[in-house]
């Protein structure tokens, strides 16, 4: 099929390359000229395992191209909209400027019977509004909302083999036509048994935000237990193991630590709260404010542990911050707990040196006040405290005895509960985890 993808960021670039990998003819459109130039030359503009390979293959096959010229979508039958929906400045609500602009610029190039398939995460009610906008323009194109559930770090595999597909479609014959087109584009996944939920716009939009709200709640739940564990001497990691054996609860997403960040969970729970309030249903998701508050308290807890370890004054102390990305296998620093901790410590006067295998160049742009090194040994050398805030394998695999030789004071705060306390303590380190003794 001929497919266009509008917005080629963390979601759209992967979606475009994956659709080409599945045999479709794909054109990716973005307003960012640098990003388009990189993608068009087969280079991934961000770190995502497996993306360079499918980009190169797609471009080499002639099935994948990128441009800033919206008119290139003309031949496509399905137009995936994957532009950003960030949090509005100073508000909780989602900023829909990019979605609206993308649809406006797409409309002149739509042919009758084309399908616009929204992938961006949007507040419930957006699809219906956009469908009206398209119809009012005189276009006979269809609109579906087809939310995306990929995880960064696993984005390629999650796109090619998703754990479910959700189509939000209009009622009647239009909905059937939209479903037929989506079935064709996702034929490979569907034929291998991927569950499919076909529903109305509002349900599809809500599936996406409620899934992220649930994940955020699960993380904040275990972090709340970590807070209680800290006051009782209990071990939240053992607690998570034990409750996780209950299949109704499950162990995944029960890792207590410095909490969730990234370009989605934090802004999505806030946008959901704002939208529910607009709908007069603020009380239904009021708990998400507590989920957010617990999450932010964990970042402060890590900072407090560092400060306490110096008797209340971190000024001039050298702190090695291991991790900048919001999670491993990603260079994404959007709302990253790791970077937040580094910046807070710097703000308190600590001599912070931060390292990350992939996220340094992004962090340098937003946080030029921090000192960075790509070399873990350099970060550790002379450190008065070490803080692990992203659980990259590189940090999990550190040999405590070797690391101890580099630092000035062997004090480690394991903000992701990803190190073995016994191994670190027996190598002479004072070890502090979050919610574990
Ligand atoms: N990053 C992720 O893992 C996932 C993201 N999502 C959702 O997907 C959407 C996109 O997220 P990301 O890819 O992370 O954002 P991003 O910020 O990395 O990418 C958005 C892209 O859209 C481009 N853009 C903005 N306005 C445009 C326009 N008018 N025409 C063409 N391109 C335009 C930007 O230049 C940028 O490259 C958001 O709604 C997000 O919540 C959903 C699931 C997973
Ligand atoms: O809407 C989105 O953009 C995506 O948001 C999340 O994916 P992602 O942000 O890539 O990362 P996750 O693996 O969900 O991790 C999010 C954050 O939670 C943290 N986390 C995760 C799991 C856990 O047990 N504890 C924990 O603190 C991670 O460190 C990270 O900061 C969802 O998992 C995806 O399904 C969704 O598509």
């Amino acid at each position: 099929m001929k497919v266009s993808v509008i917005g080629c960021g963390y979601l759209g670039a992967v979606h475009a390359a994956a659709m080409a990998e599945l045999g479709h003819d794909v054109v990716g459109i973005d307003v960012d000229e640098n990003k388009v130039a990189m993608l068009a030359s087969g280079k991934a503009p961000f770190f995502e395992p497996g993306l360079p390979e499918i980009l190169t293959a797609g471009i080499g096959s002639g099935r994948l191209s990128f441009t800033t010229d919206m008119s290139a979508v003309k031949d496509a039958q399905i137009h995936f909209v994957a532009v950003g929906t960030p949090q509005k400045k100073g508000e909780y609500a989602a900023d829909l400027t990019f979605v609206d602009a993308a649809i406006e610029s797409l409309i002149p190039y739509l042919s009758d019977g084309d399908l616009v398939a929204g992938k961006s995460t949007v507040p419930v009610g957006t699809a219906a509004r956009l469908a009206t906008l398209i119809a009012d323009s005189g276009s006979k194109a269809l609109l579906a909302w087809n939310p995306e559930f990929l995880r960064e770090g696993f984005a390629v595999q999650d796109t090619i083999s998703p754990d479910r597909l959700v189509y939000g479609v209009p009622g009647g014959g239009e909905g059937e036509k939209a479903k037929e087109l989506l079935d064709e584009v996702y034929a490979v996944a569907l034929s291998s048994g991927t569950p499919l939920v076909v529903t109305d716009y509002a349900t599809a939009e809500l599936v996406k935000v409620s899934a992220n709200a649930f994940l955020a709640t699960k993380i904040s739940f275990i972090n709340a237990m970590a807070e209680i564990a800290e006051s009782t001497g209990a071990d939240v990691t053992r607690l998570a193991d034990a409750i996780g054996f209950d299949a109704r609860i499950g162990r995944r997403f029960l890792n207590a630590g410095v909490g969730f960040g990234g370009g989605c969970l934090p802004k999505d729970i806030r946008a959901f709260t704002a939208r529910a309030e607009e709908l007069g249903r603020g009380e239904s998701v009021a708990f998400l404010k507590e989920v957010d508050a617990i999450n932010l308290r964990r970042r402060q807890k890590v900072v407090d542990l560092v400060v306490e370890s110096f008797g209340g004054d971190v000024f001039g102390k050298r702190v090695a911050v291991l991790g900048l990305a919001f999670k491993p296998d990603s260079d994404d620093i959007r709302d990253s707990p790791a970077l937040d901790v580094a910046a807070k410590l710097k703000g308190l006067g600590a001599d912070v040196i931060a390292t990350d295998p992939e996220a340094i160049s992004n962090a340098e742009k937003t946080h030029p006040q921090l000192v960075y090194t790509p070399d873990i040994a350099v970060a550790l050398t002379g450190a008065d405290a070490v803080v692990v805030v992203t659980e990259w394998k590189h940090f999990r695999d550190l040999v405590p005895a070797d690391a101890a030789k580099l630092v000035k004071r062997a004090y480690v705060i394991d903000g992701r509960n990803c190190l073995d306390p016994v191994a670190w303590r027996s190598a002479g380190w004072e070890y502090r985890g979050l919610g574990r003794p």
Side-chain angles (χ1 to χ4, degrees):
M1 288 184 93
K2 289 196 188 318
V3 170
S4 81
V5 179
I6 296 135
C8 294
Y10 284 93
L11 163 55
V14 173
H15 195 71
M19 291 299 113
E21 179 74 9
L22 291 170
H24 302 300
D25 285 319
V26 186
V27 60
I29 312 281
D30 203 289
V31 289
D32 182 332
E33 285 175 14
N34 292 333
K35 204 175 272 188
V36 165
M38 278 190 84
L39 287 164
S41 67
K43 292 198 187 82
F46 50 86
F47 178 76
E48 181 62 51
L51 178 59
E53 291 81 355
I54 60 168
L55 268 178
T56 315
I59 289 167
S61 70
R63 285 197 306 273
L64 178 63
S65 62
F66 293 93
T67 174
T68 54
D69 178 3
M70 188 62 97
S71 71
V73 309
K74 259 191 300 201
D75 293 336
Q77 254 186 304
I78 299 195
H79 311 274
F80 288 104
V81 176
V83 298
T85 48
Q87 187 178 338
K88 274 188 191 166
K89 287 208 166 50
E91 282 181 52
Y92 266 21
D95 181 353
L96 296 177
T97 321
F98 305 106
V99 172
D100 290 351
I103 297 285
E104 298 270 3
S105 51
L106 176 62
I107 283 174
Y109 303 105
L110 292 173
S111 305
D112 290 355
D114 277 8
L115 177 68
V116 178
K119 292 210 77 67
S120 303
T121 302
V122 291
V124 58
T126 305
R129 179 175 64 77
L130 297 175
T132 306
L133 200 75
I134 293 169
D136 288 352
S137 74
S139 165
K140 298 261 183 307
L142 310 163
L143 177 86
W145 218 263
N146 171 220
E148 176 59 55
F149 303 99
L150 71 79
R151 300 157 298 164
E152 288 177 26
F154 302 91
V156 172
Q157 103 188 33
D158 285 352
T159 307
I160 291 177
S161 311
D163 55 11
R164 80 282 214 190
L165 286 163
V166 176
Y167 308 165
V169 295
E174 283 197 356
E176 278 161 32
K177 278 188 215 147
K179 177 180 179 298
E180 268 169 35
L181 287 167
L182 287 167
D183 282 352
E184 201 179 330
V185 84
Y186 291 124
V188 172
L190 291 171
S191 67
S192 60
T194 300
L196 169 64
V197 178
V198 183
T199 182
D200 53 275
Y201 290 150
T203 306
E205 291 165 322
L206 278 173
V207 166
K208 175 62 202 177
V209 289
S210 59
N212 277 1
F214 192 89
L215 293 172
T217 303
K218 199 167 177 188
I219 298 167
S220 278
F221 175 83
I222 201 65
N223 281 332
M225 294 308 105
E227 290 183 336
I228 304 289
E230 279 156 13
S231 299
T232 53
D235 182 342
V236 75
T237 62
R238 303 298 293 143
L239 180 154
D241 291 342
I243 64 172
F245 282 122
D246 183 333
R248 294 170 302 175
I249 296 173
R251 181 62 177 82
R252 295 175 74 190
F253 268 69
L254 280 183
N255 295 321
V258 71
F260 60 81
C264 291
L265 297 192
K267 63 108 172 141
D268 286 350
I269 59 168
R270 292 172 196 151
F272 196 6
T273 307
R275 183 65 183 131
E277 281 168 3
E278 272 174 21
L279 293 165
R281 289 286 175 186
E283 74 278 10
S284 304
V285 291
F287 68 93
L288 290 177
K289 288 195 174 160
E290 200 51 46
V291 165
D292 202 2
I294 294 165
N295 192 51
L296 296 177
R297 281 206 297 272
R298 294 284 79 190
R299 301 178 183 193
Q300 189 58 42
K301 175 71 184 178
V302 172
V303 173
D304 292 346
L305 282 174
V306 179
V307 176
E308 276 165 29
S309 82
F310 293 113
D313 187 4
V314 80
F315 190 86
K317 302 294 183 193
R318 188 155 180 91
V319 181
V321 174
L322 307 191
L324 291 163
F326 83 108
K327 66 186 242 186
D329 296 316
S330 172
D331 66 356
D332 196 345
I333 53 151
R334 290 177 291 181
D335 208 342
S336 169
L339 194 48
D340 207 8
V341 165
K344 282 190 164 84
L345 288 167
K346 177 73 185 174
L348 292 171
D351 173 15
V352 173
I353 180 154
T355 186
D356 190 284
E358 295 294 338
I360 291 177
S361 63
N362 282 339
E364 275 171 341
K365 286 177 208 136
T366 58
H367 290 69
Q369 78 276 27
L370 296 174
V371 175
Y372 302 96
T373 173
D375 188 334
I376 304 174
V378 170
L380 293 176
T381 301
D384 296 300
V386 176
V387 184
V388 179
V389 263
T390 314
E391 68 276 34
W392 283 96
K393 187 172 186 308
H394 311 58
F395 309 146
R396 286 187 274 119
D397 287 351
L398 279 170
V399 176
D402 295 347
K405 287 183 201 139
L406 297 173
V407 297
K408 194 154 124 206
R409 186 181 72 141
Y411 187 93
V412 64
I413 293 168
D414 181 3
R416 289 293 182 182
N417 291 339
C418 62
L419 307 176
D420 177 0
V422 176
W424 282 74
R425 285 184 180 131
S426 58
W429 287 81
E430 188 168 339
Y431 170 95
R432 294 295 303 266
L434 288 191
R436 72 201 301 205

